[in-house]
Amino acid sequence: MDKVKVIEIKKSVFADNDEDAARLRSELKRRGVYLLNLMSSPGSGKTTTLIQTLKRLEGRLRVSVMEADIDSDVDAIKIQEATGVPSIQLHTGGMCHLDAEMTRQGLDNVALSDSDLVILENVGNLVCPAEFDTGAVRNAMILSVPEGHDKPLKYPLMFSVCDLVLVNKTDVMPYFDFDMDKCREYVHMRNPKAVIIPICAKTGEGIDAFADWLVQEVKNWKQQ
Amino acid sequence: MHELGIVFYIIRDVKEAAQANGVGHVDAVVMDIGEVSTIIPDYLQDCWRWAADKEDMLRGCELKINTINAVTRCGDCGAEYGTVEHGKTCPVCQSANTWLIRGNEVEIKEIQVNDNN
């Protein structure tokens, strides 16, 4: 009978990505660039929120955008046309998330010396992107009112890795059974430190607060 | 859906380990997968078969999965309980001050090779 030799490995599958991400973060730190990883489910209003926010950041921060999708370039074109902010489109080729290596490849095509802030719009998905550290300084996510206030209970990892939760589409609150207090309670169960900002990309509610948060974050990152 | 991405990570790590040990072909890879790691073993197996058979070193290589039960510990009363059954709330004292102590693993435990190759 053939003898079987066992080679012990005992290594987390995520270990290499975590190291890559930490390396990328320290490179960005050295160059004074702040990377925000923005996540959400499809249709929560990421692109519309970005367009509104970018308009309010004009003259305050130099921003670049990386749009990640499985396919198409509609988002990058939409952002660039609406705001004039340089935007590139990343295709994940069927993958449901970005990892640190893919993020690095994307950043190679961004003018980092002309950027204070790079916003990475991750693939619309509440599960997989939360597993992979992209090398971003902070994780943010958008939860929209029609999705329901129970999402932090159903997608615990996403809410525990996010430093900022934007609750979007507040203008439709009267038509949905969305309980903002419950939403806050559930988000804080997952991450007691998460900042929550109710916004409406359509009416502009809360967008100034989000823009101010970004300006402060970038300032802290450059000073630290 | 992220299982395919995970499989590519596993393949990279296994190939590295095999090369470092002078192994030409790997016959089995043993994984420790936590119950609440969000990995679905069936999907992982399907993705593994599709991707591993494209690599000479891993053609026909079996993926063996050990499931690690998820256990949560209560910071208030010290109880340890099954995470899948009770979630984040301690069944003994109803506290929410609890944390996962195992069950989140996605680890390559070992690789097995035929000693004749």
Side-chain angles (χ1 to χ4, degrees):
Chain A
M1 222 172 94
D2 291 341
K3 271 175 74 183
V4 173
K5 187 169 125 192
V6 170
I7 300 168
E8 197 170 277
I9 299 185
K10 272 209 123 352
K11 180 183 170 193
S12 164
V13 167
F14 299 111
D16 283 350
N17 185 59
D18 289 349
E19 282 169 27
D20 255 8
R23 235 182 343 260
L24 180 57
R25 217 169 357 257
S26 59
E27 284 166 33
L28 291 170
K29 173 88 191 158
R30 212 179 45 243
R31 303 188 62 167
V33 177
Y34 184 102
L35 176 65
L36 181 78
N37 176 26
L38 182 62
M39 300 176 279
S40 83
S41 34
S44 65
K46 278 194 298 295
T47 309
T48 312
T49 301
L50 272 188
I51 289 173
Q52 295 301 327
T53 309
L54 293 171
K55 286 179 180 166
R56 283 174 173 75
L57 287 173
E58 209 183 323
R60 300 177 77 188
L61 290 177
R62 296 170 305 160
V63 191
S64 300
V65 173
M66 296 198 293
E67 291 287 331
D69 281 298
I70 288 175
D71 203 353
S72 119
D73 54 4
V74 288
D75 281 352
I77 292 172
K78 207 194 282 179
I79 297 239
Q80 185 128 12
E81 283 181 356
T83 65
V85 167
S87 306
I88 63 165
Q89 182 79 47
L90 310 179
H91 282 166
T92 60
M95 299 272 263
C96 50
H97 63 273
L98 283 186
D99 61 15
E101 179 53 33
M102 292 187 255
T103 305
R104 181 191 299 276
Q105 287 175 21
L107 287 170
D108 285 345
N109 296 290
V110 171
L112 291 182
S113 45
D114 295 324
S115 308
D116 304 306
L117 167 66
V118 178
I119 300 177
L120 167 64
E121 191 184 318
N122 213 316
V123 181
N125 178 334
L126 289 187
V127 184
C128 319
E131 304 248 22
F132 296 87
D133 188 343
T134 56
V137 181
R138 295 268 184 260
N139 293 317
M141 69 91 59
I142 301 180
L143 172 67
S144 63
V145 165
E147 293 170 67
H149 57 254
D150 57 355
K151 288 298 164 289
L153 301 179
K154 294 185 176 180
Y155 301 92
L157 185 62
M158 173 56 72
F159 289 87
S160 54
V161 303
C162 277
D163 307 284
L164 174 72
V165 176
L166 300 171
V167 182
N168 192 21
K169 307 190 187 178
T170 52
D171 57 334
V172 298
M173 289 264 285
Y175 308 102
F176 290 88
D177 298 326
F178 188 96
D179 186 328
M180 190 64 84
D181 291 335
K182 279 234 158 53
C183 178
R184 285 179 189 278
E185 183 192 329
Y186 294 159
V187 169
H188 286 143
M189 265 168 74
R190 297 306 174 205
N191 178 4
K193 290 187 195 150
V195 174
I196 300 170
I197 307 178
I199 63 164
C200 178
K202 205 165 172 194
T203 64
E205 182 199 336
I207 301 291
D208 280 328
F210 176 38
D212 290 346
W213 184 88
L214 286 168
V215 169
Q216 191 57 47
E217 278 285 312
V218 172
K219 194 173 152 201
N220 294 347
W221 178 244
K222 289 189 182 233
Q223 280 172 357
Q224 259 169 31
Chain B
M1 194 178 168
H2 55 325
E3 281 76 4
L4 183 59
I6 306 247
V7 158
F8 288 136
Y9 283 154
I10 300 172
I11 287 177
R12 186 190 56 195
D13 286 347
V14 166
K15 281 170 76 177
E16 266 175 32
Q19 272 154 9
N21 286 280
V23 170
H25 186 268
V26 179
D27 295 292
V29 173
V30 183
M31 299 285 302
D32 283 339
I33 305 279
E35 246 181 332
V36 296
S37 66
T38 76
I39 307 286
I40 300 174
D42 279 358
Y43 290 0
L44 195 69
Q45 289 288 7
D46 288 347
C47 294
W48 171 258
R49 192 70 284 135
W50 179 82
D53 285 349
K54 292 186 164 43
E55 304 280 342
D56 287 340
M57 186 189 275
L58 300 174
R59 195 156 294 129
C61 175
E62 189 187 349
L63 187 71
K64 298 178 179 173
I65 296 177
N66 295 332
T67 302
I68 309 291
N69 292 338
V71 177
T72 294
R73 186 180 168 81
C74 175
D76 288 340
C77 76
E80 289 184 6
Y81 63 88
T83 311
V84 172
E85 219 178 333
H86 301 289
K88 213 173 151 26
T89 308
C90 173
V92 180
C93 73
Q94 270 66 52
S95 166
N97 176 25
T98 58
W99 67 89
L100 192 69
I101 52 175
R102 67 172 175 272
N104 205 21
E105 298 79 1
V106 186
E107 261 184 31
I108 304 171
K109 183 171 184 277
E110 62 192 34
I111 60 177
Q112 298 174 351
V113 299
N114 188 322
D115 222 6
N116 298 332
N117 71 31

